[in-house]
Amino acid sequence: MKREEQRLIFELSRPGRSGGSLPENDVPEINVNELFSSDYIRKDEPELPEVSELQLIRHYTALSNRNFGVDSGFYPLGSCTMKYNPKVNEGIARMAGFAHIHPYQPESQVQGALQMMYELQDSLAAITGMNTVTLQSAAGAQGEWTGLMIIRAFHEANGDHQRTKVIVPDSAHGTNPASASVAGFDPVTVKTDERGLVDLEHLREVTGPDTAALMLTNPNTLGLFEEDIVEMAEIIHDAGGKLYYDGANSNAIMGKTSPGDMGFDVVHLNLHKTFTGPHGGGGPGSGPVGVKEELVPYLPKPLLVKDGEDYTWNYDRPEAIGRIKPFYGNFGINVRAYAYIRTMGPTGLHQVSENAVLNANYLMKRLEPYYDIPYQQYCKHEFVLSAKRQKKLGVRALDIAKRLLDYGYHPPTIYFPLNVEECMMIEPTETESKETLDEFADAMIAIAKEAEEEPDQVLEAPHETVISRLDETQAARKPILRYEKAKEEQ
Ligand SMILES: *Cc1c(COP(=O)(O)O)cnc(C)c1O
């Protein structure tokens, strides 16, 4: 049977068929009418599908086959890429000593888990060049907010209440200005110049006594290294502001340089991106925050410390911004990141950065004759191209993305960053083979040719997927989340 013909579980249902068997009831039956008001009691039986175990398993397996993940194919979604998910990490995260502990257990019983967290914090501090790291925040955006609250607490402790502005480049990830707002600041945009880097003159203009911080991604979201970073740090520090580093994707810098060396004061990392945590379906994530010495008093509490040979939670932190998440962060993701860092070691992480950058530059060079590359220089772990040339033929970045589905690829990020026309942002990651990169390049080149010779192939894509184009606005605003019988059956 072809995939699209596969019937849904409600259509397979036959009265009385069942996939499970329950033992005879051996406890007294409860009279629900005595326990609940009649408002809460069902009048009719729920309409559940009645199917066999095998039909049920096939239903869910068929649904999972319609999904696309990093385990099924190449997934070059720039910036938010699902990167490497080593299977050895899964085994380690499932070890009883990690998987079966409870956050309310006394510290004396979970010293091993605390040691793991402490060593992870230390490794992340070394990688980022920060003094102290907290693992509490559960995502990149929460890390941004935490870091900005720390900066805010610092300025307030100094009586600097007029520092209300956070400077964010126009190429920044959308969470940056959003986090600045939620933390109570006014985001101010600084422009990108013709090099694709922060416009230094404009940065000088927007920096002043009201500057709380500059939030920066480096390499930036165009995949370019902000080579003026030392000068930028001086401009911000001279004005009394702090530098915030969005380290969601650190694949290009690990073991090469660090935000600490570049002059940053606060950093967040996404352990569910660079450090291999699987984040399919939106979570869970982990967005640790590291700070330089001066800001340590403001880190959230409790802070994990080492007291002699013992690991313990320090709650006695009067200047801390408070607790930002129940318990101590998404522990399982932290275990995976720890396992990854320990298996790679410093030389391995250094190699990761080299491979990530090599792969991105290789792919960029292969595509250069067929697509416009807006910034002509070496990229870091990702690059952007523009479908401007194809747009003249009536084919847009969206169409190319849809056509890639037919070739079996997850499309890259499109229309981001906002400052590149018909933008496609590609991050191949360090783990892909040359063969995979070549096959993807061949597909992109074939699509460029189709755009010239038979544009309808691209404009009407995808042709091979279970469903073709969605009305994305309707899908977001009015999603159909339950099975609905086809019209003629009703
Ligand atoms: C993914 C990403 C974020 C946000 O991280 P979440 O964990 O999704 O909140 C922030 N900045 C950059 C550059 C990112 O790629």
Side-chain angles (χ1 to χ4, degrees):
M1 203 190 304
K2 275 173 71 186
R3 278 218 300 200
E4 51 268 47
E5 286 166 12
Q6 199 140 27
R7 277 179 305 149
L8 292 161
I9 199 158
F10 282 88
E11 295 157 7
L12 297 170
S13 180
R14 295 290 175 273
R17 194 170 286 172
S18 166
S21 53
L22 292 175
E24 291 270 314
N25 185 17
D26 59 358
V27 293
E29 270 196 36
I30 295 168
N31 184 352
V32 286
N33 296 307
E34 284 170 11
L35 286 176
F36 300 103
S37 125
S38 63
D39 295 349
Y40 298 116
I41 297 174
R42 260 183 207 287
K43 309 283 180 299
D44 313 302
E45 288 286 306
E47 259 193 77
L48 295 174
E50 297 177 74
V51 291
S52 71
E53 178 185 356
L54 191 53
Q55 286 175 312
L56 185 75
I57 298 291
R58 284 185 184 156
H59 169 74
Y60 282 109
T61 306
L63 285 183
S64 74
N65 284 342
R66 288 184 186 182
N67 216 341
F68 191 97
V70 73
D71 289 343
S72 41
F74 186 51
Y75 202 132
L77 187 73
S79 186
C80 288
T81 322
M82 176 74 89
K83 305 186 211 289
Y84 185 32
N85 293 170
K87 298 302 169 251
V88 65
N89 290 0
E90 299 306 312
I92 292 169
R94 281 170 182 71
M95 285 166 69
F98 289 136
H100 296 168
I101 53 174
H102 193 280
Y104 281 138
Q105 261 173 273
E107 283 172 7
S108 62
Q109 290 181 3
V110 292
Q111 284 293 303
L114 296 183
Q115 180 181 352
M116 183 285 292
M117 293 173 78
Y118 191 82
E119 289 179 10
L120 175 60
Q121 289 178 179
D122 258 10
S123 303
L124 298 176
I127 290 167
T128 55
M130 293 291 125
N131 206 273
T132 307
V133 168
T134 172
L135 302 175
Q136 229 183 81
S137 42
Q142 196 184 19
E144 291 169 24
W145 177 82
T146 303
L148 290 169
M149 291 303 282
I150 289 169
I151 291 174
R152 205 183 137 127
F154 168 82
H155 288 317
E156 281 178 4
N158 290 334
D160 267 353
H161 302 289
Q162 83 292 354
R163 295 193 182 275
T164 55
K165 305 248 158 79
V166 169
I167 304 170
V168 186
D170 55 6
S171 66
H173 193 273
T175 51
N176 290 188
S179 301
S181 279
V182 178
F185 294 108
D186 299 322
V188 177
T189 306
V190 60
K191 284 190 294 218
T192 299
D193 63 17
E194 65 286 349
R195 301 171 303 164
L197 306 178
V198 167
D199 183 326
L200 273 191
E201 276 320 300
H202 193 224
L203 180 65
R204 282 199 187 87
E205 274 166 40
V206 295
T207 306
D210 58 357
T211 300
L214 167 70
M215 284 184 99
L216 200 71
T217 310
N218 195 17
N220 65 26
T221 55
L222 298 165
L224 305 176
F225 191 79
E226 295 282 357
E227 56 194 38
D228 300 323
I229 182 57
V230 173
E231 203 172 336
M232 290 159 75
E234 255 171 45
I235 295 171
I236 299 297
H237 284 151
D238 286 350
K242 293 285 176 202
L243 269 87
Y244 182 93
Y245 186 83
D246 178 340
N249 312 284
S250 301
N251 301 49
I253 62 146
M254 287 186 297
K256 289 276 177 188
T257 177
S258 79
D261 286 346
M262 295 180 216
F264 287 90
D265 306 288
V266 187
V267 175
H268 90 263
L269 295 169
N270 279 22
L271 300 191
H272 50 292
K273 289 181 185 165
T274 316
F275 296 91
T276 72
H279 60 275
S286 179
V289 174
V291 297
K292 289 244 175 95
E293 178 114 52
E294 196 178 27
L295 298 175
V296 174
Y298 309 101
L299 277 171
K301 69 179 173 184
L303 196 64
L304 182 58
V305 293
K306 194 171 178 189
D307 183 7
E309 286 305 299
D310 298 332
Y311 299 92
T312 177
W313 292 109
N314 178 5
Y315 285 85
D316 182 20
R317 310 190 66 253
E319 291 176 283
I321 60 165
R323 188 191 262 290
I324 54 150
K325 187 184 181 303
F327 304 120
Y328 317 109
N330 276 332
F331 184 73
I333 293 297
N334 295 337
V335 175
R336 288 171 175 85
Y338 178 76
Y340 176 65
I341 291 171
R342 295 303 300 260
T343 28
M344 299 306 283
T347 43
L349 293 178
H350 186 263
Q351 187 72 42
V352 163
S353 300
E354 301 215 324
N355 290 2
V357 173
L358 180 63
N359 280 0
N361 279 285
Y362 178 72
L363 204 48
M364 182 171 78
K365 276 287 161 209
R366 276 218 56 196
L367 296 179
E368 195 179 297
Y370 309 92
Y371 293 90
D372 287 339
I373 306 287
Y375 301 105
Q376 292 284 339
Q377 51 172 298
Y378 287 118
C379 64
K380 293 296 171 218
H381 59 295
E382 62 192 358
F383 64 97
V384 295
L385 51 82
S386 164
K388 249 173 24 190
R389 210 183 300 174
Q390 287 71 26
K391 191 181 177 188
K392 293 201 190 96
L393 307 165
V395 170
R396 304 194 51 190
L398 176 73
D399 304 311
I400 297 167
K402 296 291 184 196
R403 184 65 177 138
L404 274 171
L405 296 172
D406 288 334
Y407 284 88
Y409 297 106
H410 192 290
T413 304
I414 54 172
Y415 300 113
F416 176 79
L418 306 174
N419 50 357
V420 173
E421 189 187 347
E422 294 299 314
C423 188
M424 303 188 83
M425 181 195 212
I426 301 177
E427 179 178 5
T429 79
E430 68 277 359
T431 37
E432 297 297 341
S433 66
K434 178 168 180 297
E435 293 75 30
T436 302
L437 301 181
D438 280 330
E439 282 158 17
F440 176 75
D442 291 344
M444 286 290 288
I445 293 165
I447 296 171
K449 295 209 173 108
E450 286 172 354
E452 285 171 11
E453 291 158 13
E454 39 176 349
D456 284 350
Q457 271 298 85
V458 189
L459 293 171
E460 286 160 20
H463 307 275
E464 305 290 333
T465 50
V466 178
I467 45 170
S468 191
R469 293 200 193 192
L470 299 172
D471 180 333
E472 288 177 12
T473 318
Q474 289 280 29
R477 299 241 168 95
K478 291 189 184 163
I480 302 169
L481 299 176
R482 325 179 30 201
Y483 171 73
E484 285 176 9
K485 276 193 193 130
K487 280 256 155 43
E488 59 270 23
E489 285 181 38
Q490 279 174 350

